[in-house]
Amino acid sequence: METSDDKLERRLYSHDLAPLPKEMDLIFKTTPDQVVRPKYAQEVAQMMAKATATKKAIVPRGAGTWGLGGSVPVQGGYVLDMTSMDKIIAIDEKNLIVTVQPGITWKALSEALDAKGLFLPCYPSSAPSATLGGWIGTGGTGIGAYKYGTAGNIIRDLEVVLPTGHIIHTGDKYIPASGGGPNLTWLFVGSEGILGVITEVTLSVLPKPETLRAVAYSFEDLSNATPAFRKLSRSDVVPMHLMFGDRAHFEYLRAAGKHAPDVGCMITCALTGAKDKVDLDEKMLDDIMTSSGGVKMPADVAEHEWSERSYEFRVREMGIGAIPGEILVPIEGFDKTLADTRALVRKMKLKGPIIGTVADRNTIMLMPYYLTDEHNFFRSTAAMGFGKKLGDIAFENGGRPVGLGLFFAGNLARYRGKEGADLVRRIKTLVDPEGVMNPGKVVETGTRFGISLPAAFMNFGMNMMAGMKRLMPRDKVGEKELSRLRK
Ligand SMILES: Cc1cc2nc3c(=O)[nH]c(=O)nc-3n(C[C@H](O)[C@H](O)[C@H](O)COP(=O)(O)OP(=O)(O)OC[C@H]3O[C@@H](n4cnc5c(N)ncnc54)[C@H](O)[C@@H]3O)c2cc1C
């Protein structure tokens, strides 16, 4: 097992997708004492024993592409970089089952399956870098969710090293987890690395569909698309995936020199199945979209958008910081959520392009991202209040923000209710009696001093940050690039 004590290398593990200003070090010890790259479950178990003996934290990390601090230490300790555990253990073509180590990326797995005529039903749009362990750990929604569900729906079995060092299996490779007591697999889906380290994953996969076709429709504005989402949810057409972007999103892509349509909003759908069935689905989808005010886009535009599904944040290539907020809302609450989100963006003087997906028949995933100067401490910290306010909008409209991580642990009771949150805390204590497993997240916002910040304090702080941002002069980030485009 490789380890590193190198100062610079350790520093690289002190943040994830969202950069943390170094001033945060006053509260959190984000730099680990050591970076460890295990190759086997037994080595992870050894590290658990070491962490317990030395009373140090142990933090599992995939590719660090999440933005809520889940893989960032709060009290230093050991970061387990799981990307060295990236082997495909077995592809069982006869039983449509694959067993892999958790550090493999979704893209690498998808390509390996493709070579065998198999198909990975769902994956995050960050598939080129995100690991299996990371997406299971966050329990997010993603590409393929509308038709096939999310990671949790295709897991047969997880091998997990518990904080006590015991190695368990949560399911069975060949039989779905029906009956036999509570479903342990789902306990770990979305547990954000606080209950154990996933060291092996067995998934159900599918035969590769005869056809995968992208089709796209433009709308005057994202707010005009709701009737189409509603009609679709009541129809027999079940696209693999539906994703959308608004005018501002495509404008910034064009400003970054990328090929992107000049439309108020575009919905791109991917249809999978036998060719005749996909032909029929496309006709029905055309009908649903155009009767709701949509205009069909040329096939090459749809195909290009589909090929770009993993690269939504290309605006970063211009050197502009783009920090996403992510919420899930019921379709019925979508119009109001969208209006509230846009009002928030205006009030906070941010640039906030909006992208998202239709996560299932009832739910929209909305991901506005704000453009910010990551190197300006006051601006970027104040803009972080946006995530808190966006979460509030989701709760008010019957939905919720996605993920708790370090900063939004105070939302646990809003997700599960007081008793539910207490149960989660009791489960955490039971599974991790020494409190070494990724401490300071989900059930509490921990600090380097071992004390937790009360939820009310965090919420107050985040609201203050949002308030500060409203008092600051208008954010000009991205304006130069846009005006160059308009010329
Ligand atoms: C361009 C882009 C697109 C994105 N698209 C999506 C999307 O479509 N859907 C979505 O849900 N998210 C998306 N994300 C967010 C993020 O990429 C995903 O959550 C991703 O799955 C995280 O994987 P990771 O390997 O980077 O995990 P990390 O960020 O390293 O970790 C995430 C969490 O999982 C835990 N963890 C990691 N590995 C293990 C393990 N082996 N055992 C136990 N716990 C573990 C960590 O402790 C942490 O709490 C996107 C991000 C970007 C930048």
Side-chain angles (χ1 to χ4, degrees):
M1 159 170 60
E2 199 187 300
T3 58
S4 173
D5 300 307
D6 180 73
K7 196 173 167 194
L8 179 63
E9 194 168 357
R10 286 186 292 118
R11 191 72 197 156
L12 292 175
Y13 287 79
S14 67
H15 66 85
D16 56 12
L17 172 77
L20 279 180
K22 65 176 184 320
E23 288 76 2
M24 288 283 183
D25 280 0
L26 294 172
I27 308 171
F28 309 115
K29 190 179 174 205
T30 55
T31 304
D33 300 326
Q34 192 174 55
V35 176
V36 180
R37 298 190 183 89
K39 285 204 176 289
Y40 308 100
Q42 286 71 18
E43 291 178 343
V44 174
Q46 269 173 32
M47 284 308 301
M48 292 290 198
K50 192 168 168 186
T52 303
T54 55
K55 298 252 178 295
K56 282 193 176 178
I58 192 157
V59 181
R61 180 180 176 105
T65 63
W66 206 38
L68 297 187
S71 58
V72 177
V74 172
Q75 299 167 4
Y78 305 105
V79 163
L80 291 189
D81 176 346
M82 300 301 290
T83 57
S84 295
M85 291 184 69
D86 62 350
K87 304 283 170 297
I88 294 179
I89 296 166
I91 298 181
D92 182 344
E93 291 172 66
K94 260 204 312 217
N95 288 295
L96 297 174
I97 276 169
V98 58
T99 300
V100 294
Q101 289 189 311
I104 189 169
T105 65
W106 290 90
K107 182 166 189 261
L109 176 58
S110 175
E111 286 171 354
L113 291 171
D114 189 70
K116 301 243 179 218
L118 297 173
F119 180 67
L120 186 60
C122 59
Y123 48 88
S125 64
S126 49
S129 23
T131 65
L132 264 81
W135 197 42
I136 295 167
T138 61
T141 181
I143 291 167
Y146 193 87
K147 185 167 184 175
Y148 305 110
T150 62
N153 298 100
I154 60 167
I155 296 171
R156 285 279 167 152
D157 179 43
L158 294 176
E159 178 187 79
V160 183
V161 179
L162 298 177
T164 51
H166 296 101
I167 301 179
I168 62 158
H169 282 261
T170 63
D172 190 289
K173 283 185 185 163
Y174 296 102
I175 301 161
S178 318
N183 187 322
L184 283 184
T185 297
W186 279 100
L187 182 63
F188 292 93
V189 176
S191 64
E192 301 186 13
I194 66 159
L195 297 180
V197 180
I198 300 163
T199 47
E200 193 184 282
V201 182
T202 299
L203 300 176
S204 288
V205 295
L206 293 172
K208 201 163 136 184
E210 186 189 343
T211 307
L212 192 164
R213 186 180 304 158
V215 281
Y217 307 86
S218 68
F219 284 79
E220 226 169 275
D221 183 71
L222 185 51
S223 57
N224 300 102
T226 321
F229 295 149
R230 264 200 216 110
K231 268 190 208 165
L232 180 71
S233 69
R234 284 155 180 77
S235 80
D236 279 344
V237 188
V238 188
M240 167 193 180
H241 189 54
L242 284 102
M243 59 190 188
F244 52 78
D246 73 349
R247 183 183 297 285
H249 172 65
F250 293 119
E251 263 186 353
Y252 278 107
L253 285 179
R254 291 203 304 284
K258 305 297 165 195
H259 182 63
D262 187 0
V263 291
C265 154
M266 185 164 78
I267 304 176
T268 306
C269 314
L271 297 165
T272 49
K275 185 179 170 304
D276 292 351
K277 168 85 171 72
V278 169
D279 288 343
L280 187 66
D281 280 353
E282 184 177 351
K283 277 201 192 96
M284 288 167 70
L285 198 55
D286 286 351
D287 197 40
I288 290 167
M289 294 290 174
T290 54
S291 65
S292 312
V295 175
K296 192 161 189 189
M297 301 293 284
D300 62 321
V301 174
E303 273 155 31
H304 178 264
E305 194 54 21
W306 177 247
S307 71
E308 283 287 298
R309 65 192 180 283
S310 288
Y311 306 100
E312 304 110 315
F313 298 116
R314 288 218 189 261
V315 66
R316 278 174 165 265
E317 291 174 24
M318 297 193 289
I320 295 177
I323 316 275
E326 191 181 346
I327 53 176
L328 287 165
V329 284
I331 289 187
E332 290 316 310
F334 178 63
D335 289 341
K336 170 102 180 2
T337 304
L338 184 61
D340 291 353
T341 302
R342 284 177 164 165
L344 176 67
V345 166
R346 269 194 311 276
K347 272 192 224 152
M348 291 190 68
K349 301 175 190 160
L350 290 163
K351 297 284 176 315
I354 295 180
I355 54 175
T357 67
V358 185
D360 63 26
R361 280 177 193 261
N362 321 93
T363 320
I364 308 266
M365 189 280 284
L366 203 62
M367 191 189 266
Y369 56 94
Y370 62 85
L371 304 178
T372 183
D373 176 1
E374 290 163 333
H375 304 293
N376 182 318
F377 170 71
F378 290 105
R379 278 189 184 283
S380 65
T381 312
M384 279 168 70
F386 177 77
K388 157 74 172 57
K389 291 286 185 191
L390 183 68
D392 289 346
I393 290 175
F395 283 122
E396 282 155 21
N397 290 292
R400 58 173 174 79
V402 178
L404 296 161
L406 173 55
F407 299 107
F408 299 112
N411 279 336
L412 182 63
R414 289 176 89 178
Y415 274 66
R416 306 273 172 255
K418 190 188 166 307
E419 279 73 26
D422 283 348
L423 178 62
V424 177
R425 283 193 193 95
R426 286 205 299 276
I427 291 172
K428 165 73 173 155
T429 309
L430 187 76
V431 175
D432 179 22
E434 303 296 329
V436 291
M437 190 76 241
N438 208 357
K441 329 266 173 74
V442 183
V443 293
E444 56 168 345
T445 298
T447 62
R448 61 184 306 151
F449 312 110
I451 48 164
S452 307
L453 298 175
F457 176 83
M458 282 304 287
N459 287 338
F460 177 75
M462 295 266 184
N463 286 335
M464 283 282 288
M465 285 184 198
M468 261 166 58
K469 181 71 185 65
R470 289 176 68 170
L471 296 176
M472 288 179 183
R474 195 166 54 85
D475 224 314
K476 295 210 167 110
V477 68
E479 265 177 20
K480 217 171 43 203
E481 290 77 1
L482 267 193
S483 66
R484 235 184 283 138
L485 172 78
R486 284 173 185 151
K487 272 181 209 155

